[in-house]
Amino acid sequence: MTALLSLSGLTVDIPVAAGTLHALRGVTLDVREGEVFAIVGESGCGKSLTAAAILGLLPDSATLRAERMTWDSQDMTRMSRRQRMAMSGPQISAIFQDPLTALNPILSVGEQMTEGFLAHRLGSRSQARARAAELLEAVGVTPAERRMAQFPHELSGGLRQRVMIAMSLMCHPRLVVADEPTTALDVTTQVEILRLLQDRQKEAGLSLVLITHDLGVVAHIADRVAVMYAGEVVEQGSVAQVVGSPAHPYTRALLDCLPDLGQPERKLTPIPGVVPALTGDLTGCAFRNRCPHAHAACAGGIPWHRADTGQGYRCVLAPTSEEAA
Amino acid sequence: MSDPVVLSASEVSVSFRQRQGLFRPPQMIPAVRDVSFEVAQGEVFGIVGESGSGKSTMAKMILRLLRPDAGRLTLAGQPMATIAPYRFARLVQPVFQDPYSSLNPRRSLREIIEMPAAVAGDLAPAERQDRARELFTRVGLPMRLFEAYPNQISGGQRQRVAIARALMTRPRVLICDEPTSALDVSVQAQILDLFEELRAQFALTYVFISHNLAVVERIADRVGVMYRGQMVEQGPAQQIFGAPSHPYTRMLLASALPPQPGRPLPVINRDFDSAPAQP
Ligand SMILES: Nc1ncnc2c1ncn2[C@@H]1O[C@H](COP(=O)(O)OP(=O)(O)OP(=O)(O)O)[C@@H](O)[C@H]1O
Ligand SMILES: Nc1ncnc2c1ncn2[C@@H]1O[C@H](COP(=O)(O)OP(=O)(O)OP(=O)(O)O)[C@@H](O)[C@H]1O
Ligand code: SF4
Ligand SMILES: [Mg+2]
Ligand SMILES: [Mg+2]
């Protein structure tokens, strides 16, 4: 299958008071045409920065390097700011966690939905309004005509997020990057929003990069997933592989500390310790101060194991070893 | 119930005034409507429900941050409104969702933890500091951070500080509003363990509000389910999670997404609700 977006060895450094923050350390992943690709991990592991790198929205102070960063086989690192701007909308669009900060408070829903469409000269004003109305109806923001006259603060959180989804689809993008699109919503609304995303993704055949810290969301909507820890991808593969039979000790630890509905007696195993600071020299496995299997070799170079099935993980433990099973 | 009731709400209601723009008169939006429940000494009463259903508003009324329009609230048998501030501080304390904004950034962790005891006014400064030290260790914080500031510690550590602060007056009831929602799952598991341990050690009663159903099922003895300002169902946790009777509760439980691959998204059916409100 063809990769629409391909990242290899993506590194992002940000200068901070304590020196240089190595926020992304060699992120490698491919997003294929038409798939839902999830990026999962705990707070601060680099999920949003990966999204920002894809969207061309890194902070000005950040330095990006990559062995490969391609969009439809074109080198993204060589694109000018203008070229990136031109991509935003018709090629790649974004949905953020908090639609209230992402939406413009002084523009009506109709105005902000049509803004990008008109700026990219994709049609006339009436065509823009017709497309906006059609998308709002499709995501359940009804009656669309009345909703288009409303302002963001007049809508509930769930409705705002639906507006964001409709807006992200205005220019027929090929990839939508959704950063925690349901984290602020209640579980019922979450399911409704995920279904909308999934329906639109299937109908329009677009690709979706879904960023979340919730393995339950990943299990239900993603095709493939990358697990991030301390700025690196530590495991990657199909959802059935990674969530169903995780190979990396960190992925397993994450699943072991999740409470399960219907199993209130199951003992949770918290992960001891904290994520290491990402400043200064970083060598060896970043999980080794918390890993139950850590040993001397974990301070050295860590190989990336790749199985025939496509599941891969970064750890010194061999796929066949007792502990990794 | 065998244990004495420590907290009760009887037909409690409150509305908020909402402006409708410059020229229209403000409208009263009911946030909590006729809510009644009792919490026994030593019990964990969980509250779940949809966003905007009035859970936090209920918590605010229990903490006297908001006055009900109608109904009665009692704490330790006494009408809530008649309890003197220093005594109130020794009966009930809050633990909120956001450990980032609920701690004063300009105060050291020691000062933050000691604060409620100053309000309750029952300890000499030296005793206050002793108790703060004891609690600091008890919630699993290293003493080297005792004089540190909130921006120098992690989110999980901040929530530990908030819990230590809440325990400073040796309260009987903790009102926990989404206490683990801002935390990573690995930290959430640690904090849940801590809640369990402290409950046993200090004979605490909790009101525990959370969106996370699995967390509530784990920690609560009894559960109330809120929907559109009303408590539509309440009962033992096993009953609510095992055999829910209200259609909203059933919909809520069906919406949970367990981390098991290979299942489709659940189908959400809001048909039971004849008047879906979409602001
Ligand atoms: N503009 C910035 N300046 C300095 N550091 C930053 C900046 N943005 C992010 N970081 C740091 O980079 C690291 C990765 O941040 P990122 O926002 O990608 O995490 P995340 O995985 O999205 O976490 P969360 O789940 O909390 O959203 C963190 O340590 C963060 O503090
Ligand atoms: N200060 C306020 N002024 C006006 N309306 C308010 C105020 N606080 C809450 N409300 C409204 O009261 C209702 C109940 O809100 P509340 O915060 O109690 O819900 P909740 O159940 O805690 O929701 P969540 O799960 O999202 O935290 C909502 O409709 C909310 O918009
Ligand atoms: S490399 Fe070592 S420390 Fe890192 S996950 Fe593997 S066993 Fe654990
Ligand atoms: Mg983020
Ligand atoms: Mg609330």
Side-chain angles (χ1 to χ4, degrees):
Chain A
M1 234 179 292
T2 38
L4 185 58
L5 174 76
S6 179
L7 307 180
S8 177
L10 173 67
T11 300
V12 168
D13 287 340
I14 303 178
V16 291
T20 300
L21 184 85
H22 304 290
L24 297 183
R25 304 185 296 129
V27 170
T28 298
L29 54 87
D30 281 344
V31 180
R32 300 168 188 164
E33 199 102 46
E35 78 171 344
V36 180
F37 188 93
I39 301 178
V40 67
E42 293 186 287
S43 190
C45 68
K47 304 183 294 297
S48 294
L49 280 179
T50 305
I54 296 171
L55 293 163
L57 296 175
L58 283 173
D60 285 338
S61 61
T63 337
L64 176 150
R65 275 170 292 130
E67 286 154 25
R68 185 176 68 245
M69 185 171 182
T70 59
W71 170 259
D72 216 4
S73 309
Q74 296 157 261
D75 188 349
M76 292 172 94
T77 60
R78 289 173 183 277
M79 289 182 189
S80 68
R81 198 170 266 263
R82 260 186 81 162
Q83 283 172 300
R84 290 299 292 265
M85 293 275 286
M87 280 178 67
S88 150
Q91 303 286 335
I92 307 183
S93 68
I95 300 171
F96 297 103
Q97 170 172 355
D98 180 6
L100 205 51
T101 54
L103 293 172
N104 186 336
I106 61 166
L107 291 185
S108 70
V109 168
E111 285 166 332
Q112 39 203 320
M113 283 198 65
T114 51
E115 210 181 18
F117 187 92
L118 294 171
H120 286 291
R121 300 177 194 280
L122 297 176
S124 68
R125 191 163 294 272
S126 66
Q127 283 169 325
R129 286 193 68 87
R131 171 143 182 89
E134 172 199 321
L135 286 169
L136 287 174
E137 293 283 343
V139 300
V141 182
T142 56
E145 278 305 325
R146 183 164 73 81
R147 295 300 182 185
M148 279 163 70
Q150 286 186 306
F151 288 84
H153 69 267
E154 296 174 330
L155 304 173
S156 70
L159 276 179
R160 269 182 231 134
Q161 201 54 288
R162 285 168 203 255
V163 168
M164 278 280 278
I165 291 175
M167 198 158 111
S168 73
L169 299 170
M170 271 302 282
C171 302
H172 303 277
R174 298 171 68 191
L175 172 71
V176 174
V177 178
D179 192 352
E180 310 262 9
T182 60
T183 303
L185 304 172
D186 66 75
V187 287
T188 308
T189 312
Q190 163 163 285
V191 171
E192 289 169 336
I193 296 286
L194 291 176
R195 181 175 296 284
L196 273 176
L197 275 174
Q198 196 175 49
D199 288 350
R200 305 308 300 175
Q201 177 255 333
K202 290 219 167 89
E203 279 164 31
L206 53 82
S207 311
L208 182 64
V209 170
L210 178 77
I211 290 177
T212 177
H213 62 271
D214 188 336
L215 280 162
V217 169
V218 172
H220 281 80
I221 177 166
D223 298 305
R224 291 190 307 133
V225 55
V227 180
M228 289 190 69
Y229 185 79
E232 286 182 312
V233 173
V234 295
E235 179 159 10
Q236 191 171 170
S238 74
V239 165
Q241 292 162 350
V242 175
V243 184
S245 47
H248 195 281
Y250 174 66
T251 315
R252 278 183 271 152
L254 265 187
L255 284 161
D256 286 345
C257 62
L258 274 184
D260 262 342
L261 197 59
Q263 296 182 353
E265 306 298 332
R266 203 195 97 218
K267 180 104 186 74
L268 302 183
T269 318
I271 306 178
V274 294
V275 182
L278 295 180
T279 45
D281 263 352
L282 295 157
T283 52
C285 173
F287 189 52
R288 70 182 187 277
N289 62 331
R290 311 173 75 185
C291 178
H293 309 294
H295 54 287
C298 306
I302 312 294
W304 178 264
H305 293 288
R306 194 185 166 90
D308 296 338
T309 55
Q311 183 172 10
Y313 67 101
R314 184 181 302 285
C315 176
V316 296
L317 298 180
T320 47
S321 92
E322 284 278 302
E323 286 166 323
Chain B
M1 246 176 279
S2 48
D3 291 314
V5 171
V6 63
L7 170 70
S8 84
S10 170
E11 295 175 3
V12 169
S13 298
V14 73
S15 300
F16 290 108
R17 181 181 294 272
Q18 189 174 305
R19 290 191 40 198
Q20 297 264 45
L22 277 179
F23 304 108
R24 275 180 287 173
Q27 202 185 355
M28 295 307 282
I29 308 283
V32 169
R33 292 187 284 161
D34 283 332
V35 168
S36 303
F37 60 85
E38 290 187 341
V39 185
Q41 178 71 46
E43 185 175 54
V44 179
F45 185 66
I47 302 181
V48 297
E50 73 168 2
S51 198
S53 60
K55 303 181 297 295
S56 297
T57 305
M58 197 61 234
K60 283 181 194 143
M61 288 190 282
I62 300 171
L63 289 162
R64 292 210 306 206
L65 300 171
L66 182 71
R67 202 197 286 270
D69 296 336
R72 285 181 311 282
L73 280 165
T74 67
L75 198 56
Q78 206 179 334
M80 192 88 103
T82 68
I83 303 172
Y86 71 91
R87 196 171 121 73
F88 190 78
R90 283 183 235 161
L91 284 171
V92 53
Q93 286 287 335
V95 178
F96 291 119
Q97 164 169 8
D98 191 355
Y100 299 87
S101 61
S102 68
L103 305 182
N104 185 337
R106 285 185 297 274
R107 301 229 179 250
S108 73
L109 304 185
R110 175 182 61 74
E111 290 172 309
I112 288 169
I113 293 172
E114 287 183 8
M115 191 66 80
V119 175
D122 60 342
L123 291 178
E127 287 174 292
R128 228 185 269 165
Q129 200 175 124
D130 284 348
R131 187 178 288 180
R133 254 176 222 287
E134 172 206 320
L135 286 169
F136 206 74
T137 316
R138 187 61 203 78
V139 298
L141 290 165
M143 279 316 294
R144 68 183 158 80
L145 293 176
F146 200 45
E147 298 288 346
Y149 287 81
N151 67 359
Q152 296 169 328
I153 62 176
S154 71
Q157 288 175 325
R158 281 180 238 214
Q159 202 53 297
R160 287 172 193 271
V161 171
I163 295 169
R165 172 181 63 178
L167 293 174
M168 192 61 194
T169 63
R170 299 254 192 273
R172 289 169 66 183
V173 184
L174 286 194
I175 309 298
C176 309
D177 191 355
E178 304 276 2
T180 63
S181 309
L183 304 175
D184 278 326
V185 289
S186 62
V187 183
Q188 168 175 280
Q190 297 169 11
I191 298 292
L192 287 177
D193 278 355
L194 178 62
F195 273 121
E196 292 284 5
E197 285 169 33
L198 296 173
R199 174 192 185 184
Q201 186 184 347
F202 296 106
L204 286 167
T205 304
Y206 297 134
V207 173
F208 197 101
I209 299 170
S210 178
H211 273 303
N212 190 321
L213 300 169
V215 164
V216 173
E217 181 187 35
R218 186 164 278 271
I219 197 164
D221 303 306
R222 286 192 316 119
V223 176
V225 182
M226 290 196 67
Y227 180 64
R228 304 246 171 114
Q230 290 180 306
M231 196 165 275
V232 292
E233 180 167 6
Q234 57 179 297
Q238 275 171 321
Q239 180 189 321
I240 299 288
F241 288 101
S245 54
H246 193 278
Y248 172 71
T249 314
R250 289 204 285 267
M251 182 180 90
L252 184 69
L253 293 179
S255 308
L257 302 179
Q260 280 128 28
R263 300 190 194 180
L265 282 171
V267 176
I268 301 296
N269 185 346
R270 289 190 190 260
D271 284 351
F272 69 90
D273 197 329
S274 48
Q278 284 208 329

